[in-house]
Amino acid sequence: MKSCGVTLVTATSFCDEGKKMAAGKMSGESKEESLSLTAEEEEVLGGLDSRLFGFVRLQEDGAKTKTLLGKAVRCYESLILKAEGKVDSDFFCQLGHFNLLLEDYPKALSAYQRYYNLQPDYWKNAVFLYGLGLVYFYYNAFHWAIKAFQEVLYVDPSFCRAKEIHLRLGLMFKVNTDYNSSLKHFQLALIDCHPCTLSKVEIQFHIAHLYETQKKYHFAKEAYEQLLQTENLPAQVKATILQQLGWMHHNVDLLGDRATKESYAIQYLQKSLEADPNSGQCWYFLGRCYSSIGKVQDAFISYRQSIDKSEASADTWCSIGVLYQQQNQPMDALQAYICAVQLDHGHAAAWMDLGTLYESCSQPQDAIKCYLNATRCKSCTNTSTLAGRIKFLQAQLCNLPQSSLQNKTKLLPSIEEAWSLPIPAELTSRQGAMNTAQQASKTHHPKTEPVLGLSQTPILQQPLPVQMIPSSQVDGLSSPVKKKRTSSPIKHLEQLHANKDNLNPAQKLMLEQLENHFVSMQQQNTLTLPHNCINLSSSTEEPWRKQLYSSTQGLHKGQSSHLSGPTDEQPSFSTGPVQYLQAASVGIQKQIGHGTLSSNSVTQGAALNHLSSHIATSGGQQGTTFTKESQPSGNRSLVPETSRHTGDISNGCAVVKGLSNHVQQLTVESVCDPNHGNCTSPNLLSNSPHISPSLIGKASDSVGTGAYDKTSNIYPAIHTKTNNSITSSPSSVVFTTIPFSKSTEQTTSHSVGSINSPQNRLHTINREGLENIQSSKKPDSPIINLKSDPQIIPSMSVSIYSSSTEVLKACRNLGNNGLSNSPIFFDKCPPPRPPMSPYPPLPKDKLNPPTPSIYLENKRDAFFPPLHQFCTNPKNPVTVIRGLAGALKLDLGLFSTKTLVEANNEHMVEVRTQLLQPADENWDPTGTKKIWHCESNRSHTTIAKYAQYQASSFQESLREENEKRMQHKDYSDNESTSSDISGKRRKGPFKTIKFGTNIDLSDDKKWKLQLHELTKLPAFVRVVSAGNLLSHLGHSILGMNTVQLYMKVPGSRTPGHQENNNFCSVNINIGPGDCEWFVVPEDYWGVLNDFCEKNNLNFLMSSWWPNLEDLYEANVPVYRFIQRPGDLVWINAGTVHWVQAIGWCNNIAWNVGPLTACQYKLAVERYEWNKLQSVKSVVPMVHLSWNMARNIKVSNPKLFEMIKYCLLKVLKQCQTLREALITAGKEVIWHGRTNDEPAHYCSICEVEVFDLLFVTNESNSQKTYIVHCQDCARKTSRNLDNFVVLEQYKMEDLMQVYDQFTLVSEISMFLQYHPPLLDIAP
């Protein structure tokens, strides 16, 4: 595993060599001398990389380090220019680290991407991946940051910044609404004793707020109150906790009666203000509480304090309007509402309240205009109600005579007139103060563009008829806080272009100036990528983005209706990240010093040619080709530094700023030498915020030779030529395009320079995988080579054909490099990644293939050997065996509801509450749009109670049918009405149903008759058989090697999934109703994974129901069929499927593992993918592999090699770890194993732990044996002082199993193991 370090002695020598080469061309020898690095500087720089980001100070005592980093960057860039980019890849990796430490993110991203391009085994470099993840995190590119950080942990689980990674993963998953993953990573960060950016109490606060966001209010309240008991709690954290408790009591009915809740809410908020009197957010909440109990004067005072303490908020002005309206002051209410919608054009609640105000004043025309604007807001949740109200008012207007409308005296000015009224003094004074501060900030940062506030925006000063506002403009405009982040000369340039014909002379002059400024920026290649505005997702409606860009007051825009207001809607709960980050950011600022940044870092400006030409989408499936004409511009608002680290940061953006822009004031500990394992980076990406094509074209025409042409793509096995012309950026001298699947398609040789010899050596890096690997074009050999001898785990010259003695001998003296949970399979290729969609794509007429089906007539057909071979053939993702129950004379009545109730009526049933929907569609609860998320809430009951529900559901359906027959006389009318009802159901509220699932039938005493009946099945589909891998586990895994029952009513859904660890499954329909199945081949699971990510869902853990239209558009084939009573459905390894009941029925199911190479390979691949995703593998593949080696004779060479290789890996890990413990003086205690003892998993990270168990002293003494893996044990106790190490297998026993597991011939197999021969067919 190699280090990303660069030998700076060599760098200096090449600096000197570069000076000699350029002596005849350049005249400023003094300038050349300034690029030389002294020996002392080289030594300091040698220890600086991405692991020190946030933990090294670049101001005060760290000013010298900052100067040195700047000098090193200039030296490296000079070298790259002189060598025309033909330098060793490690140059770019180290350059990326230096720029990252300087917080020059665009240059860091550029350098890291160049390293990615040039280094074929980049995935081994954990320090590089960590730096890349930090840059993505800074740009809010959470999709890619998550991938990079996950791969760091996969490469090196003991990475010294693992705690920081878990913290950032927790924050990102929280914003992405993947709350289970977020909680897991926060907990992993909490147990780690290493330093990180946030303190322990701040991480605990995030966990408490996570419960609140999940509406687990009692857990949240308990966590908050427990935090308040912490000694020396920082004032800002305390204030935010009290604020959250107060707002919870105001909103959550579960916390008591209204009077008590409001009393507690006011007390908590007042205490919060004592800790932080300057919190505008808290003053606003207090005003809402006073308003709800009728204390109008106190509410007004609180709202005014909110406006004084923070930037003007649409929420605050909307609440003020509600108060004025309650006090029968309609004109004042109108002005307040107008302020709200001018601050945030997309504030749905303000538009609705304004419409209600006009309606109450008998001005229906203005009310209609307001309601229409409300419906155009993205955050509007009651569009259907508003639409009905609009129709009612329009009908009312039609019935009124025109003369009465014209002669009627208006109580309020019309909406057009109100829009041009002077803004109230409270708002203008606040905006004036903001603008003054911005101008003052500009004097400190001359390169920073002014941020135009509301009063500075020329277009918005014009009277704006509301009925003419296009929906895009209503949705796009927002509060001043949002404008402060997103407003820029480019944005105003687009606005001025759009209204060019209506501009006055002053505005036309501004347009001309902005155009000239834009062109000059293009010529200088200074297009920016501000991290608050970058859009690296193909979807603009994702929940995390709504959180990121909601108002600084902490309420989601458009959802902030008021309890006491005319709309009578529940106010939105303040679950935006800003509340908890106000505490976190202030805490960080107290602990952390911010480095003095250069002006280009402050403005986040950088050349666009520092960035790769890949544009990422949420799913990573689309690429964008850049040319001079299509090159996107990145200019957005250039935010002054004075506004970047305040409490007024909006929600999720504060997550980024609170972490990435600060450094830890801690004693920097020595960073351990990097040990890098197997990892792959996400596809190279960069993006710039989009601007209008007309501006791009204008700039492109004006940009001369300074611009460059790059064409790249992300499709496999497609290579394009690269333009290597020198640009203004040294790190952009050479750009090598790569395919998306680069990590598995290239075999590249690199010239490696020797430090001690002028002669170059060649090291060939072979990229091996399980399948044949394609090779691609070899890049130009570098002229300058800086690669030092990599620090790697010593090579072991052993193979699967080496004896165990040879393996152990090769493992000696390896120190602490052996990792207990390193990959068991993928050490010669990158970590697992979802497969690309098969190429070429299927034609549209092949996307509904016929389902493979076999009809059985008798028992002989069921036991016919080709049936087993047909089902396990990888080409058949699913097989339906029709008539199985009849052919084998199975008594399915044993599994009927009546029999189950008679046998065990109190047996536990897991219940899933779902919405009754058409099988091929999935709508949101309101019925307005199709979604992927499938509502499925869990509870529990008994068989007897669910049977009663099942029966009552059937009776209710019969009653409904009878009522229909009574109402309709003929069939056609009945059919038409039924169709209408079906159509309405798709667009309206859906009926709630309950699905009884995961009923355990493993107890052979309770279910003896049922389980015995299943022994009639053929061997390859039985629950237990010699040819079933899962039968060799030695213990039960409920639902996998045991039977589970499902009790269904029509509409019961099993959401989309692959079986645990990709094992095959067997499902028999008991009846009496049918089930409808949808099946997608294993090759396409990567496409479904991408769709889940685009819809903010976790492919492995979330509940999702695919949209068939999306699948067909992506050329994904879908098998669709009906399973009737007595039919057996065989789901092959890795097949994706989802099922819906058509009628009332029961099903039984379990998993099987055929003894095939395909099954084992897919199971281990999913084992590694689960590890990458921090998801527990239900099947312990290491434990299973050793049991297979003990119990099974294998004749399939591929299967043998994979099992043997797994044994080899584990044997090396066990021996290496054992020797490391002995060397460290840690005693290994013999513990052994009991019969039927299950495999062990780490209680913290849930990876499988084999042989050596790390158990806390306390649990060992209590005989509870809470197991940890080595990495989690060391994070909890660095020297393992609080742990004992228990040994479950003697090394001699493992050696014996390893040596005795050999490949046998099929003939000897037939002679010794004739019965299970059928199950070992390849």
Side-chain angles (χ1 to χ4, degrees):
M1 310 293 170
K2 74 178 176 172
S3 168
C4 61
V6 175
T7 306
L8 293 167
V9 176
T10 313
T12 305
S13 66
F14 282 112
C15 283
D16 296 336
E17 181 180 344
K19 287 188 291 184
K20 294 176 184 179
M21 294 170 60
K25 299 181 181 179
M26 297 182 64
S27 60
E29 293 188 2
S30 61
K31 185 176 180 180
E32 292 290 336
E33 288 293 333
S34 66
L35 295 180
S36 300
L37 298 172
T38 66
E40 183 180 356
E41 290 172 335
E42 297 158 10
E43 183 178 356
V44 174
L45 289 170
L48 299 178
D49 59 38
S50 63
R51 291 170 293 183
L52 292 179
F53 177 80
F55 296 88
V56 60
R57 301 187 60 189
L58 298 184
Q59 63 181 9
E60 299 174 2
D61 54 323
K64 292 182 179 179
T65 303
K66 179 183 177 182
T67 303
L68 178 58
L69 286 169
K71 181 179 179 181
V73 168
R74 291 192 299 273
C75 177
Y76 275 47
E77 290 179 343
S78 176
L79 279 174
I80 295 168
L81 278 173
K82 291 172 184 176
E84 297 184 352
K86 296 182 179 180
V87 297
D88 188 84
S89 60
D90 282 341
F91 261 116
F92 294 103
C93 186
Q94 198 71 9
L95 186 60
H97 295 328
F98 293 162
N99 281 312
L100 175 63
L101 294 177
L102 288 170
E103 299 186 42
D104 193 341
Y105 299 100
K107 286 188 177 182
L109 180 61
S110 171
Y112 282 143
Q113 291 178 333
R114 292 299 316 284
Y115 175 79
Y116 176 99
N117 287 332
L118 297 173
Q119 188 65 31
D121 58 348
Y122 68 90
W123 44 272
K124 295 181 179 180
N125 192 336
V127 180
F128 154 71
L129 291 169
Y130 179 60
L132 186 64
L134 290 172
V135 175
Y136 288 150
F137 185 91
Y138 172 82
Y139 283 119
N140 285 352
F142 291 165
H143 174 75
W144 296 105
I146 288 171
K147 289 181 180 295
F149 285 145
Q150 285 176 334
E151 289 166 348
V152 174
L153 298 175
Y154 185 89
V155 168
D156 185 2
S158 59
F159 190 67
C160 61
R161 293 289 175 251
K163 182 175 183 178
E164 184 74 16
I165 290 176
H166 285 303
L167 170 62
R168 291 172 185 260
L169 285 172
L171 292 171
M172 289 186 287
F173 281 125
K174 186 178 183 181
V175 173
N176 285 352
T177 68
D178 187 351
Y179 300 125
N180 292 331
S181 297
S182 177
L183 178 61
K184 181 171 185 177
H185 286 289
F186 280 143
Q187 290 173 336
L188 288 168
L190 202 58
I191 62 103
D192 199 327
C193 61
H194 292 83
C196 87
T197 311
L198 295 185
S199 65
K200 182 178 180 180
V201 293
E202 288 165 339
I203 298 174
Q204 289 173 322
F205 178 84
H206 278 282
I207 294 175
H209 185 266
L210 190 63
Y211 290 137
E212 182 184 349
T213 308
Q214 292 178 280
K215 299 183 179 180
K216 297 178 179 180
Y217 298 121
H218 289 294
F219 286 106
K221 182 174 180 290
E222 182 180 349
Y224 283 139
E225 291 174 345
Q226 187 175 356
L227 263 176
L228 289 175
Q229 306 302 319
T230 306
E231 295 182 3
N232 302 320
L233 188 66
Q236 187 63 45
V237 177
K238 181 179 180 180
T240 311
I241 293 172
L242 290 167
Q243 174 184 295
Q244 291 304 112
L245 280 170
W247 193 236
M248 276 179 58
H249 278 83
H250 174 73
N251 282 282
V252 181
D253 294 334
L254 298 175
L255 299 181
D257 62 272
R258 180 179 178 185
T260 305
K261 288 193 309 110
E262 293 298 343
S263 175
Y264 276 115
I266 292 173
Q267 291 178 32
Y268 280 125
L269 292 172
Q270 289 174 339
K271 289 180 181 179
S272 176
L273 289 171
E274 291 175 6
D276 181 15
N278 295 318
S279 172
Q281 175 78 63
C282 195
W283 280 111
Y284 170 72
F285 288 161
L286 186 59
R288 291 285 296 275
C289 292
Y290 281 136
S291 175
S292 68
I293 61 175
K295 292 188 176 182
V296 178
Q297 191 61 33
D298 290 335
F300 273 120
I301 294 173
S302 299
Y303 288 146
R304 179 53 194 260
Q305 287 282 355
S306 175
I307 293 175
D308 290 341
K309 303 296 183 184
S310 62
E311 295 178 0
S313 164
D315 292 319
T316 306
W317 281 104
C318 186
S319 298
I320 292 173
V322 171
L323 279 182
Y324 278 130
Q325 190 170 351
Q326 289 177 337
Q327 299 303 308
N328 196 24
Q329 297 175 248
M331 189 62 194
D332 293 327
L334 174 67
Q335 281 194 308
Y337 289 141
I338 290 295
C339 286
V341 295
Q342 284 186 342
L343 288 168
D344 181 4
H345 282 51
H347 201 290
W351 282 117
M352 286 187 287
D353 289 340
L354 186 55
T356 305
L357 176 64
Y358 274 121
E359 193 174 350
S360 67
C361 295
S362 301
Q363 295 180 222
Q365 290 177 316
D366 293 306
I368 290 173
K369 295 172 186 177
C370 295
Y371 289 148
L372 285 172
N373 279 286
T375 60
R376 291 169 181 161
C377 298
K378 296 179 181 178
S379 56
C380 184
T381 57
N382 56 346
T383 307
S384 57
T385 304
L386 286 175
R389 193 65 190 166
I390 291 170
K391 289 182 179 179
F392 172 78
L393 292 176
Q394 288 173 338
Q396 199 176 51
L397 283 174
C398 292
N399 295 329
L400 291 176
Q402 189 68 24
S403 58
S404 65
L405 292 175
Q406 294 175 351
N407 299 331
K408 188 175 182 179
T409 303
K410 291 184 177 180
L411 184 61
L412 295 175
S414 67
I415 187 65
E416 293 85 359
E417 296 168 342
W419 194 265
S420 58
L421 287 176
I423 299 176
E426 295 91 338
L427 179 59
T428 55
S429 62
R430 177 63 184 159
Q431 281 299 119
M434 288 166 50
N435 298 334
T436 303
Q438 291 161 7
Q439 292 297 328
S441 174
K442 182 182 176 183
T443 62
H444 292 287
H445 303 284
K447 292 190 178 182
T448 303
E449 295 295 333
V451 181
L452 300 180
L454 180 66
S455 60
Q456 291 177 294
T457 307
I459 300 302
L460 296 184
Q461 289 178 346
Q462 305 284 341
L464 189 57
V466 180
Q467 73 274 17
M468 298 302 293
I469 300 176
S471 60
S472 60
Q473 187 174 353
V474 172
D475 296 337
L477 299 177
S478 60
S479 68
V481 183
K482 185 170 177 180
K483 290 181 182 181
K484 192 170 186 180
R485 295 194 306 270
T486 60
S487 296
S488 72
I490 301 302
K491 188 67 177 177
H492 295 298
L493 184 54
E494 292 182 356
Q495 292 177 349
L496 291 170
H497 264 291
N499 295 272
K500 190 172 183 178
D501 296 336
N502 300 323
L503 300 183
N504 57 36
Q507 293 167 347
K508 290 181 179 179
L509 178 61
M510 178 182 289
L511 172 61
E512 184 178 356
Q513 291 173 346
L514 288 173
E515 286 179 340
N516 294 335
H517 179 65
F518 173 76
V519 171
S520 66
M521 292 174 67
Q522 288 282 331
Q523 292 171 339
Q524 297 170 12
N525 289 324
T526 56
L527 306 183
T528 61
L529 262 175
H531 78 287
N532 288 330
C533 307
I534 189 167
N535 180 3
L536 294 179
S537 171
S538 60
S539 173
T540 59
E541 288 300 309
E542 295 173 276
W544 72 266
R545 198 171 302 283
K546 292 179 182 178
Q547 281 191 298
L548 287 176
Y549 294 156
S550 58
S551 74
T552 190
Q553 298 302 324
L555 295 174
H556 299 297
K557 291 192 183 100
Q559 299 174 354
S560 304
S561 299
H562 311 283
L563 281 171
S564 56
T567 54
D568 196 29
E569 291 187 6
Q570 178 71 15
S572 169
F573 195 64
S574 66
T575 55
V578 65
Q579 288 79 28
Y580 55 82
L581 280 162
Q582 288 174 344
S585 61
V586 173
I588 292 169
Q589 290 169 6
K590 290 184 178 181
Q591 302 170 23
I592 298 170
H594 183 265
T596 304
L597 303 178
S598 58
S599 59
N600 68 329
S601 180
V602 172
T603 62
Q604 304 167 21
L608 183 63
N609 56 19
H610 279 293
L611 304 174
S612 159
S613 63
H614 290 284
I615 294 291
T617 63
S618 177
Q621 291 296 307
Q622 298 179 1
T624 301
T625 301
F626 286 173
T627 63
K628 286 183 180 179
E629 289 71 31
S630 65
Q631 179 176 325
S633 168
N635 290 64
R636 291 282 185 97
S637 62
L638 308 176
V639 182
E641 187 176 358
T642 55
S643 67
R644 290 176 61 194
H645 307 293
T646 68
D648 295 332
I649 302 171
S650 84
N651 297 0
C653 294
V655 177
V656 179
K657 294 183 181 180
L659 292 172
S660 62
N661 294 335
H662 296 82
V663 290
Q664 186 88 5
Q665 287 186 352
L666 296 172
T667 303
V668 180
E669 302 175 3
S670 58
V671 181
C672 57
D673 291 335
N675 297 323
H676 308 302
N678 304 340
C679 194
T680 182
S681 172
N683 180 34
L684 271 189
L685 62 101
S686 68
N687 201 348
S688 299
H690 298 293
I691 60 172
S692 65
S694 62
L695 300 183
I696 296 174
K698 183 176 182 63
S700 302
D701 295 337
S702 304
V703 175
T705 57
Y708 61 96
D709 291 282
K710 287 195 295 189
T711 302
S712 64
N713 56 74
I714 57 173
Y715 300 102
I718 301 176
H719 303 273
T720 55
K721 294 183 179 180
T722 305
N723 187 345
N724 294 337
S725 60
I726 298 176
T727 67
S728 61
S729 169
S731 59
S732 300
V733 173
V734 177
F735 186 91
T736 306
T737 60
I738 59 170
F740 185 88
S741 55
K742 164 185 183 265
S743 58
T744 56
E745 292 184 356
Q746 291 186 347
T747 303
T748 311
S749 298
H750 279 275
S751 176
V752 181
S754 172
I755 297 176
N756 302 320
S757 169
Q759 301 295 328
N760 291 336
R761 298 171 293 164
L762 289 178
H763 289 252
T764 302
I765 301 172
N766 295 320
R767 311 288 301 283
E768 297 180 10
L770 296 176
E771 307 293 340
N772 296 330
I773 299 177
Q774 301 177 1
S775 61
S776 62
K777 182 179 178 181
K778 176 181 175 181
D780 295 335
S781 298
I783 295 175
I784 297 179
N785 303 283
L786 267 180
K787 189 181 295 182
S788 60
D789 291 335
Q791 298 177 359
I792 61 174
I793 293 179
S795 176
M796 301 179 188
S797 57
V798 293
S799 69
I800 60 175
Y801 299 103
S802 303
S803 67
S804 60
T805 304
E806 293 171 332
V807 173
L808 265 59
K809 183 179 179 180
C811 289
R812 290 174 185 166
N813 303 320
L814 288 183
N816 197 29
N817 288 322
L819 297 173
S820 60
N821 57 350
S822 62
I824 64 171
F825 203 46
F826 299 103
D827 67 336
K828 291 187 178 181
C829 59
R833 66 188 309 168
M836 297 293 291
S837 181
Y839 187 85
L842 292 174
K844 296 297 182 182
D845 60 347
K846 301 292 185 181
L847 298 182
N848 286 293
T851 303
S853 302
I854 296 177
Y855 295 83
L856 302 183
E857 295 181 357
N858 50 50
K859 183 176 180 180
R860 181 180 178 182
D861 292 344
F863 285 85
F864 191 49
L867 176 61
H868 170 218
Q869 297 168 4
F870 183 87
C871 289
T872 56
N873 187 338
K875 294 182 180 180
N876 298 322
V878 60
T879 302
V880 183
I881 303 178
R882 304 284 188 186
L884 177 75
L888 297 177
K889 298 182 179 179
L890 291 176
D891 184 3
L892 299 184
L894 292 172
F895 299 94
S896 66
T897 299
K898 179 182 178 182
T899 306
L900 295 172
V901 171
E902 292 172 351
N904 294 284
N905 62 343
E906 293 300 316
H907 198 68
M908 187 64 66
V909 177
E910 178 182 323
V911 176
R912 293 284 179 167
T913 303
Q914 302 173 335
L915 300 177
L916 177 60
Q917 303 200 48
D920 55 354
E921 295 178 353
N922 187 56
W923 296 82
D924 68 344
T926 63
T928 56
K929 63 178 180 179
K930 291 183 180 180
I931 58 174
W932 276 61
H933 175 65
C934 180
E935 292 288 339
S936 187
N937 301 313
R938 183 168 62 178
S939 59
H940 292 86
T941 187
T942 63
I943 285 182
K945 291 180 179 179
Y946 188 84
Q948 186 177 5
Y949 165 76
Q950 199 177 39
S952 64
S953 170
F954 181 72
Q955 293 296 329
E956 181 183 355
S957 176
L958 288 178
R959 187 165 53 253
E960 290 177 356
E961 288 295 327
N962 290 331
E963 289 176 357
K964 288 179 184 178
R965 292 192 184 96
M966 294 290 292
Q967 293 174 358
H968 304 285
K969 297 180 179 180
D970 57 69
Y971 176 81
S972 60
D973 290 342
N974 183 33
E975 184 180 30
S976 174
T977 305
S978 176
S979 176
D980 292 342
I981 293 174
S982 176
K984 289 180 182 178
R985 271 199 171 176
R986 298 186 186 188
K987 299 295 182 181
F990 297 98
K991 181 181 178 181
T992 298
I993 60 171
K994 297 183 184 297
F995 169 29
T997 182
N998 297 337
I999 305 168
D1000 174 33
L1001 302 187
S1002 62
D1003 192 333
D1004 56 2
K1005 294 180 180 179
K1006 289 184 177 180
W1007 310 103
K1008 182 177 180 180
L1009 294 177
Q1010 286 79 5
L1011 296 179
H1012 181 266
E1013 189 69 14
L1014 297 180
T1015 59
K1016 297 178 181 179
L1017 294 169
F1020 78 97
V1021 296
R1022 287 179 194 160
V1023 182
V1024 179
S1025 71
N1028 182 355
L1029 294 180
L1030 297 175
S1031 297
H1032 297 280
L1033 276 171
H1035 63 274
S1036 295
I1037 300 179
L1038 298 182
M1040 292 207 68
N1041 55 6
T1042 66
V1043 181
Q1044 279 191 335
L1045 173 77
Y1046 305 89
M1047 305 175 71
K1048 304 178 181 180
V1049 298
S1052 297
R1053 286 183 164 184
T1054 301
H1057 68 289
Q1058 289 173 300
E1059 296 295 322
N1060 290 320
N1061 285 91
N1062 282 334
F1063 277 85
C1064 301
S1065 75
V1066 173
N1067 185 296
I1068 300 176
N1069 186 6
I1070 304 302
D1074 298 339
C1075 292
E1076 185 169 11
W1077 288 66
F1078 302 84
V1079 169
V1080 170
E1082 187 271 339
D1083 294 343
Y1084 292 86
W1085 79 265
V1087 180
L1088 274 78
N1089 179 74
D1090 290 339
F1091 275 120
C1092 286
E1093 290 181 345
K1094 289 177 182 178
N1095 287 275
N1096 240 14
L1097 296 168
N1098 187 312
F1099 176 80
L1100 296 176
M1101 305 301 293
S1102 297
S1103 177
W1104 45 271
W1105 192 267
N1107 184 348
L1108 293 181
E1109 296 173 1
D1110 291 342
L1111 298 185
Y1112 293 143
E1113 186 177 351
N1115 295 104
V1116 176
V1118 180
Y1119 295 82
R1120 185 173 179 177
F1121 60 91
I1122 302 297
Q1123 179 194 25
R1124 296 182 174 84
D1127 290 349
L1128 182 148
V1129 175
W1130 170 276
I1131 294 294
N1132 220 347
T1135 297
V1136 187
H1137 55 287
W1138 55 103
V1139 189
Q1140 176 158 322
I1142 298 175
W1144 291 262
C1145 61
N1146 293 348
N1147 290 67
I1148 53 174
W1150 58 92
N1151 292 102
V1152 294
L1155 282 174
T1156 64
C1158 177
Q1159 173 64 89
Y1160 185 82
K1161 173 178 175 290
L1162 291 177
V1164 177
E1165 284 180 352
R1166 180 48 50 89
Y1167 181 88
E1168 297 298 323
W1169 174 254
N1170 288 345
K1171 191 185 299 181
L1172 181 72
Q1173 298 294 312
S1174 299
V1175 173
K1176 180 180 179 179
S1177 282
V1178 176
V1179 181
M1181 290 304 299
V1182 173
H1183 174 84
L1184 176 60
S1185 298
W1186 282 93
N1187 280 358
M1188 290 170 63
R1190 289 186 184 94
N1191 302 336
I1192 299 175
K1193 300 292 184 181
V1194 176
S1195 62
N1196 185 318
K1198 288 185 178 180
L1199 178 60
F1200 167 77
E1201 289 175 0
M1202 286 189 287
I1203 297 174
K1204 188 77 171 183
Y1205 183 72
C1206 175
L1207 302 182
L1208 171 65
K1209 284 278 296 184
V1210 175
L1211 191 64
K1212 290 192 296 184
Q1213 291 173 14
C1214 290
Q1215 178 63 16
T1216 302
L1217 180 56
R1218 182 180 279 101
E1219 289 195 1
L1221 292 169
I1222 294 174
T1223 303
K1226 192 69 179 177
E1227 182 183 4
V1228 178
I1229 302 173
W1230 169 251
H1231 182 68
R1233 283 180 61 85
T1234 60
N1235 292 334
D1236 300 328
E1237 181 179 348
H1240 292 281
Y1241 292 85
C1242 176
S1243 59
I1244 303 297
C1245 67
E1246 296 185 311
V1247 299
E1248 183 184 0
V1249 183
F1250 181 78
D1251 186 24
L1252 298 176
L1253 312 180
F1254 292 78
V1255 178
T1256 60
N1257 293 328
E1258 181 181 0
S1259 68
N1260 183 54
S1261 61
Q1262 296 175 354
K1263 307 298 182 183
T1264 54
Y1265 304 117
I1266 299 176
V1267 176
H1268 294 65
C1269 66
Q1270 179 202 188
D1271 298 304
C1272 289
R1274 289 192 180 276
K1275 289 172 185 175
T1276 306
S1277 177
R1278 296 187 184 182
N1279 298 321
L1280 300 177
D1281 295 332
N1282 191 38
F1283 286 86
V1284 296
V1285 183
L1286 304 181
E1287 182 180 29
Q1288 290 205 301
Y1289 298 96
K1290 293 292 186 183
M1291 185 54 66
E1292 295 77 13
D1293 296 337
L1294 295 179
M1295 293 172 64
Q1296 182 180 3
V1297 173
Y1298 178 84
D1299 290 333
Q1300 290 181 353
F1301 183 66
T1302 57
L1303 183 66
V1304 300
S1305 65
E1306 292 189 6
I1307 296 178
S1308 61
M1309 195 69 175
F1310 181 81
L1311 294 175
Q1312 297 179 30
Y1313 294 93
H1314 183 261
L1317 176 62
L1318 176 65
D1319 301 300
I1320 304 176

